Amino acid sequence: LLLHLFDRRHAFPELRDRHQSLRALYLSRALPAASAGVDDAPFDHPDRRQMVAVLCGHAAEQQEPPAQRQGDRAFLQRRRDDQADRSVRQIRPAMFLGIDIGTSGVKAVVLDTHGVVVGQGTAALSVQRPHPLWSEQDPEDWWKATSAAVLAIDPAVRRAVRGIGLAGQMHGATLLGADDRPLRPAILWNDGRSFAECAALEATTPEFRTLGGNIVMPGFTAPKLAWVRRQEPEVFAQVATVLLPKDYVRLRMTGEKASDMSDSAGTLWLDVAGRRWSDTLLAACGLTQAQMPRLVEGTDVAGMLRADIAEAWGISQVPVAGGAGDNAGGAAGVGVVTDGKALLSLGTSGVIFVANDRFRPNPARAVHAFCHCLPEMWHQMSVHLSAASCIDWVARLTGASGAAEVFQ
């Protein structure tokens, strides 16, 4: 148990301050004792009991003399049970933090190992629309909202977090300069300014349908960069890195430029079958792989929480997973992770999502084909951008109090 805790000490903040004294005690006394056969009675031996005392926050000198402890088996049993109870109370079970960078807000949720929600926080976001068809957000707002949502969770729950997962709105173009600072507001998934660029990319680069698996549409990242290249050449010339929304937050959390396969497939620069960046598709937009983040699977560790962020959030320096685009993450959450399983989601937009065990593009029917957030899995998806939002529109038009009244 103690060796296990040594290995896991960074996941238990309450043990960190006691680690050095506990380790010294273990090396100086427990190892020699083990060689003398003490392992046959690990809790009865005074050195073992002293380690448990340190673990539970009791000074060694507060313990009774070894002779008294060794001579009183009933006392030893009572003390062992008592200290075990204290250990259970002091060491919290493992928790996992999920952060979703949405369009209207950032959500942070902590789950235990059984999937039970034990804490959550939210922070609102706004969308800027300076011109018709435009939809933008300041990446700094994502970061401020992320910190606010995490800090809204009980500090005691945060201290038990052992790992972090990221999900977020897809397709948003976050353009960073050489100093990793945004060059302009991020262009979001629901921005419609790039129709002309879509037509041009479709005409010149048929590989967007064969390698990228999709029709070029304004919602994707590629035509957004083509628009910046044509309309804001001074900004385009400074682009050192292009990140998606959740991956910008990852950069601020870990210092790593990385993206998972499911989110990256939505840029239209990914060879979706090969799960790698495509030089052909990038070149069509005047970009190279040097401007792209490192690719990881959603289940991979993409980085560790930075020390200063860990301190600010009251969380250990835990691993941050590759994560997922919002739809792939939602599918994994409801168990759509094997070939043929599907879901129908009716929110602001409507989504039909089908998991596949291979790349199955169908651009002729306007079906999206992306990587799933799990290794060796893909998915098909069809999206309607105004699904349940139409019901809200009807409610406003008719004076109904809400969507429920519309159906009464």
Side-chain angles (χ1 to χ4, degrees):
L1 170 64
L2 291 172
L3 285 174
H4 176 76
L5 290 174
F6 288 155
D7 292 338
R8 301 295 188 269
R9 62 185 179 275
H10 296 299
F12 292 96
E14 60 266 47
L15 299 185
R16 196 180 306 152
D17 294 339
R18 300 175 197 153
H19 169 252
Q20 292 302 326
S21 61
L22 188 59
R23 177 178 173 80
L25 178 63
Y26 180 81
L27 293 177
S28 66
R29 303 183 68 181
L31 291 182
S35 65
V38 178
D39 280 332
D40 293 335
F43 281 98
D44 289 355
H45 193 276
D47 293 332
R48 295 294 199 278
R49 293 180 65 266
Q50 191 173 1
M51 285 189 291
V52 173
V54 176
L55 179 65
C56 294
H58 303 290
E61 58 269 17
Q62 292 176 326
Q63 306 301 311
E64 287 75 10
Q68 175 184 341
R69 291 183 308 215
Q70 287 177 312
D72 186 353
R73 303 290 295 186
F75 168 80
L76 290 175
Q77 183 64 45
R78 290 194 303 272
R79 178 56 73 90
R80 180 180 72 177
D81 293 341
D82 177 62
Q83 293 187 350
D85 288 343
R86 294 179 189 174
S87 298
V88 169
R89 289 196 300 270
Q90 291 188 11
I91 302 175
R92 296 180 180 275
M95 305 288 181
F96 300 92
L97 170 64
I99 301 173
D100 175 40
I101 313 302
T103 309
S104 59
V106 173
K107 285 79 70 180
V109 177
V110 176
L111 306 175
D112 66 14
T113 54
H114 301 289
V116 176
V117 174
V118 294
Q120 54 189 312
T122 61
L125 291 168
S126 61
V127 176
Q128 289 72 54
R129 301 183 183 275
H131 302 286
L133 299 180
W134 288 32
S135 180
E136 299 182 337
Q137 284 179 327
D138 183 351
E140 184 65 23
D141 291 343
W142 299 334
W143 178 241
K144 291 178 180 177
T146 297
S147 293
V150 171
L151 292 174
I153 297 171
D154 188 311
V157 173
R158 280 186 267 133
R159 284 195 295 271
V161 167
R162 294 275 295 275
I164 301 175
L166 291 174
Q169 51 169 302
M170 297 177 66
H171 314 305
T174 311
L175 313 184
L176 307 183
D179 59 358
D180 291 340
R181 295 180 181 275
L183 296 169
R184 67 175 322 284
I187 306 176
L188 302 188
W189 59 276
N190 54 355
D191 187 286
R193 76 185 73 177
S194 60
F195 281 103
E197 287 72 24
C198 290
L201 292 173
E202 280 273 314
T204 60
T205 314
E207 289 86 353
F208 278 111
R209 294 196 178 202
T210 56
L211 292 176
N214 292 275
I215 300 172
V216 182
M217 299 178 178
F220 291 119
T221 319
K224 294 173 172 53
L225 266 291
W227 183 93
V228 174
R229 184 185 188 187
R230 186 165 68 91
Q231 300 291 341
E232 299 177 352
E234 71 288 349
V235 173
F236 188 84
Q238 300 177 63
V239 174
T241 307
V242 182
L243 293 179
L244 295 162
K246 82 173 192 321
D247 300 323
Y248 176 76
V249 173
R250 183 201 315 282
L251 174 64
R252 298 291 295 268
M253 291 171 60
T254 68
E256 297 287 339
K257 297 175 183 176
S259 185
D260 78 287
M261 300 294 178
S262 68
D263 215 359
S264 295
T267 64
L268 287 192
W269 294 318
L270 200 70
D271 173 348
V272 179
R275 304 174 88 90
R276 58 179 176 264
W277 295 119
S278 166
D279 290 328
T280 299
L281 302 181
L282 286 165
C285 299
L287 300 170
T288 69
Q289 291 197 40
Q291 294 162 296
M292 296 295 106
R294 171 173 56 93
L295 288 171
V296 297
E297 293 291 349
T299 52
D300 290 341
V301 173
M304 302 295 291
L305 195 63
R306 286 170 35 187
D308 57 332
I309 305 304
E311 181 178 3
W313 288 1
I315 297 174
S316 299
Q317 285 189 262
V318 297
V320 179
D326 50 7
N327 284 303
V334 298
V336 179
V337 295
T338 56
D339 186 53
K341 285 200 172 184
L343 68 85
L344 171 64
S345 171
L346 294 175
T348 301
S349 62
V351 176
I352 300 173
F353 184 110
V354 182
N356 305 135
D357 61 3
R358 62 182 65 88
F359 177 46
R360 293 174 178 166
N362 188 7
R365 301 292 297 274
V367 174
H368 300 320
F370 296 140
C371 298
H372 207 329
C373 60
L374 302 174
E376 300 182 12
M377 287 296 296
W378 289 259
H379 71 85
Q380 295 169 306
M381 185 171 67
S382 183
V383 179
H384 195 288
L385 297 183
S386 55
S389 59
C390 295
I391 308 303
D392 294 331
W393 174 79
V394 171
R396 291 194 300 270
L397 192 67
T398 61
S401 60
E405 187 177 341
V406 171
F407 289 99
Q408 289 179 351

